[in-house]
Amino acid sequence: IGIIVVSRFEGENMHVDMGNTDHKFFNIVFPVRLPTSGRAQLDLSSTMEEKDSHPVSFRKNTGILLGGRSIHGTGQCNYRAAEEFRASLTIYLADITEQNIELIAGDSTALFPNQGDESWLRTQAGRVWGHGNSLKQDLGRRPYGVSDDPKFDCPALAKEGKCESDLKRVRKRCSKSCKVYMEDDAYYEHLAQLMDTTTKAEL
């Protein structure tokens, strides 16, 4: 999950989110704040040329689904005179395989999970689809031993605020002290509470 916030954009940035994952990667761009002073759009295209793009307007409570190789870019805008901005969540959905895990783990769009953390992604593989799995019957990830790199004094670095200021080094090396991931006991306890709340709501 990542967050994209835009108050002004001019120019071109047509791109794809992911390379060839054999159609096992999708991105949902979901607006959480829309401005009132101008259009909020995502440009879609069949080429990398801005001139070939077609704008799609964001709408409240409606996401835009993109494939990993869907060519898209930020729609031009300027909300600053009205002191506004637009904000969207980017939610990545992927069927993790050994053939695509390195590519997907290497993406740098979001702060979570840590970039390059293939081990954590493996705990998620097959979690919500295939073999009868689904979001409704989600049993959570497989166990994952959250740990710090012993070469770093992670507790001290965390107290100094390095988890937030040194994202590429300390946050990656100190996953436990930086609380990037929940430890297994806390994770499964929290998951059980969520599942119990969902079941009671359905009843």
Side-chain angles (χ1 to χ4, degrees):
I1 297 177
I3 300 175
I4 298 176
V5 179
V6 181
S7 63
R8 177 178 176 270
F9 179 76
E10 295 178 356
E12 301 179 6
N13 72 339
M14 303 304 292
H15 64 282
V16 298
D17 288 322
M18 202 66 61
N20 185 11
T21 61
D22 193 26
H23 309 292
K24 295 182 183 296
F25 174 91
F26 301 91
N27 178 15
I28 301 174
V29 184
F30 192 88
V32 293
R33 181 186 177 95
L34 293 173
T36 59
S37 59
R39 296 176 298 179
Q41 297 177 325
L42 184 72
D43 291 338
L44 302 181
S45 180
S46 59
T47 74
M48 287 294 185
E49 298 295 328
E50 186 76 24
K51 62 181 178 62
D52 297 327
S53 66
H54 300 276
V56 175
S57 296
F58 286 107
R59 293 186 297 172
K60 185 178 180 181
N61 297 328
T62 303
I64 298 175
L65 179 65
L66 302 170
R69 302 180 76 177
S70 298
I71 302 172
H72 61 284
T74 305
Q76 296 194 22
C77 63
N78 190 348
Y79 316 121
R80 292 184 179 178
E83 298 184 344
E84 288 191 305
F85 62 88
R86 72 174 186 243
S88 301
L89 293 178
T90 59
I91 304 170
Y92 283 5
L93 302 176
D95 183 6
I96 303 296
T97 68
E98 286 304 312
Q99 289 70 42
N100 64 32
I101 191 169
E102 181 178 0
L103 181 65
I104 294 173
D107 183 77
S108 60
T109 301
L111 292 178
F112 181 88
N114 280 336
Q115 185 180 5
D117 195 342
E118 296 181 18
S119 297
W120 184 85
L121 282 180
R122 285 191 178 91
T123 70
Q124 309 289 334
R127 175 175 167 179
V128 295
W129 53 34
H131 308 290
N133 297 330
S134 68
L135 284 171
K136 185 176 181 179
Q137 299 176 343
D138 184 15
L139 299 178
R141 62 162 169 79
R142 288 184 285 280
Y144 179 69
V146 184
S147 62
D148 291 334
D149 188 331
K151 296 178 182 178
F152 287 70
D153 186 356
C154 290
L157 291 169
K159 287 182 179 179
E160 294 173 13
K162 296 296 185 180
C163 295
E164 291 76 32
S165 63
D166 193 342
L167 303 178
K168 293 186 177 296
R169 189 175 65 100
V170 173
R171 184 178 171 86
K172 285 185 178 181
R173 300 291 187 179
C174 302
S175 295
K176 183 175 182 177
S177 293
C178 290
K179 299 181 179 179
V180 177
Y181 309 117
M182 295 177 70
E183 296 187 58
D184 288 343
D185 289 347
Y187 174 80
Y188 289 112
E189 180 181 353
H190 182 63
L191 181 65
Q193 292 173 353
L194 287 177
M195 297 299 288
D196 182 57
T197 299
T198 300
T199 302
K200 289 179 179 178
E202 290 178 348
L203 294 175

